[in-house]
């Protein structure tokens, strides 16, 4: 994850590092969940793990280290799965990278009435204006959030969009994993 450009804050940098990592795996990937831990705390609390992750040589900073979690179950809706997560105190935040199809706002008026979820998904998949997008969304315990969006047709690091409110629903769902 060393080719990630410098970002204004640690959360943006973590989102871009995750985006870079997942983009290296190619498209058509399952959703991936990451814990975000404070790098300095990780070095202090678990030096052997920090060494295995190559963090011992990293300069001291306020960086966040993404740690990929086990696979997300494919037989359960993503929102239901996120509702089952509880993070230990050592986790400062979390992130999720997920691929989806999206349509431009102009296509909303074309959606046929009365489609169930499955038929709507098929309709979107067959729409000529659909876009494949990878969304990487991260949140911290304090509610801070960041997102990165990568379109399949513009699959280059220089084309990745970032912003705190690009995927607000997913950010809210991830924030809820920290609720008591």
């Amino acid at each position: 994850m060393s080719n990630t450009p410098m970002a204004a804050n640690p959360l943006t940098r973590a989102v871009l590092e995750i985006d870079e990592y997942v983009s290296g795996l190619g498209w058509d990937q399952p959703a991936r969940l990451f814990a975000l831990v404070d790098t300095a705390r990780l070095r202090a609390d678990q030096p052997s793990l920090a060494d295995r992750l190559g963090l011992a040589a990293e300069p001291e900073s306020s960086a966040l280290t993404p740690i990929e979690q086990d696979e997300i179950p494919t037989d359960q809706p993503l929102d239901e799965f996120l509702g089952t997560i509880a993070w230990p105190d050592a986790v400062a935040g979390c992130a999720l990278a997920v691929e989806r199809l999206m349509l431009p706002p102009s296509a909303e008026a074309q959606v046929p009435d009365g489609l169930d979820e499955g038929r709507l998904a098929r309709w979107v998949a067959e729409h000529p204006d659909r876009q494949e997008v990878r969304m990487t969304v991260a949140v911290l315990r304090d509610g801070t959030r960041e997102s990165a969006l990568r379109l399949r047709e513009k699959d280059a690091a220089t084309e990745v969009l970032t912003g705190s409110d690009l995927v607000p629903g997913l950010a809210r769902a991830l924030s809820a994993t920290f609720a008591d």
Side-chain angles (χ1 to χ4, degrees):
M1 292 191 231
S2 60
N3 294 325
T4 301
M6 289 305 294
N9 67 61
L11 188 58
T12 303
R13 183 157 172 78
V15 164
L16 291 172
E17 286 177 8
I18 293 167
D19 173 75
E20 180 184 352
Y21 164 72
V22 175
S23 73
L25 301 173
W27 284 88
D28 305 316
Q29 295 292 314
R32 295 177 184 278
L33 181 66
F34 298 82
L36 299 175
V37 297
D38 178 88
T39 304
R41 182 174 174 184
L42 179 64
R43 275 195 212 107
D45 293 350
Q46 297 187 32
S48 62
L49 177 58
D51 285 345
R52 285 197 312 265
L53 294 173
L55 301 174
E58 292 281 322
E60 290 296 321
S61 70
S62 60
L64 295 166
T65 298
I67 300 175
E68 188 169 6
Q69 303 301 290
D70 292 333
E71 277 189 30
I72 295 174
T74 57
D75 61 343
Q76 183 178 23
L78 187 57
D79 58 338
E80 287 179 18
F81 169 72
L82 292 176
T84 67
I85 295 174
W87 296 103
D89 290 339
V91 174
C94 66
L96 181 76
V98 62
E99 296 176 13
R100 292 291 185 256
L101 292 177
M102 65 180 225
L103 293 175
S106 60
E108 287 182 25
Q110 302 169 10
V111 177
D113 290 333
L115 294 181
D116 64 22
E117 198 172 313
R119 290 177 38 211
L120 178 60
R122 283 190 296 282
W123 184 84
V124 170
E126 294 169 359
H127 196 283
D129 295 332
R130 73 185 177 281
Q131 294 280 324
E132 291 179 71
V133 63
R134 180 179 302 117
M135 303 174 285
T136 304
V137 179
V139 299
L140 296 179
R141 284 186 184 273
D142 68 6
T144 306
R145 55 175 70 170
E146 187 63 64
S147 306
L149 296 179
R150 180 185 291 252
L151 295 174
R152 189 171 191 156
E153 75 174 25
K154 294 183 178 185
D155 193 6
T158 57
E159 297 291 332
V160 174
L161 302 174
T162 60
S164 61
D165 290 321
L166 296 177
V167 193
L170 186 52
R172 278 191 301 276
L174 289 172
S175 290
T177 65
F178 292 103
D180 293 331

